[in-house]
Amino acid sequence: MLALHSYWAYLLVFIWIAAVANAFSGFRNQKEYQSKDLLLGLSTLIFAHIQLFIGLSWYFMSPVFKAMQAVGVAEIVANPGSRFLALEHPLTMLVAVTLLTIGWSRHKKTDNSKAKFKTIAIFYGIALFLVLLRIPWKQWLFN
């Protein structure tokens, strides 16, 4: 399950970066919002939700979660590495996917192309920043 979570993350980050770059480009160049833009934003949203499901499934089977049950949350929080994997990473990812969902919902409520691109750029961009901040890079890249 961890391998699936890691490999799916590579795909998701690639699509997410493309969606944010596309939104900034569309906003800056005042392009018309087209079906390809919709597909890229929606694909990012779907892939992120799948990743969240995989991640939560792994989380409740992980050694960190089992250790948290065995020794208690206070013990895990005292160790920075364990705290990162047990709390910081999953909570930040949950916030990021929530921001994606809010951004997607808000962009659908407008007919203005510039506003659509701006909304996607802001919400997806902030969410991507949070994700990149809380990826366990050492484990992710060298696993």
Side-chain angles (χ1 to χ4, degrees), residues 13 84 131-143:
V13 168
F84 181 82
V131 165
L132 294 176
L133 207 58
R134 285 294 171 243
I135 287 176
W137 290 102
K138 289 179 184 173
Q139 292 176 354
W140 198 49
L141 294 176
F142 304 111
N143 214 356

Side-chain angles (χ1 to χ4, degrees), residues 57-67 69 85:
S57 299
W58 163 246
Y59 179 76
F60 292 111
M61 295 185 284
S62 72
V64 173
F65 183 74
K66 290 176 181 163
Q69 288 178 311
L85 292 175

Side-chain angles (χ1 to χ4, degrees), residues 79-137:
N79 180 322
S82 297
R83 180 181 61 236
F84 181 82
L85 292 175
L87 298 173
E88 294 173 12
H89 174 74
L91 291 176
T92 303
M93 299 307 157
L94 188 59
V95 168
V97 173
T98 301
L99 285 171
L100 271 182
T101 306
I102 292 169
W104 180 257
S105 295
R106 289 186 72 183
H107 113 281
K108 289 189 326 182
K109 294 179 181 176
T110 181
D111 293 330
N112 180 334
S113 289
K114 188 172 182 177
K116 284 183 179 290
F117 281 124
K118 182 179 178 182
T119 301
I120 293 290
I122 290 170
F123 281 90
Y124 280 41
I126 292 169
L128 177 62
F129 176 74
L130 290 174
V131 165
L132 294 176
L133 207 58
R134 285 294 171 243
I135 287 176
W137 290 102

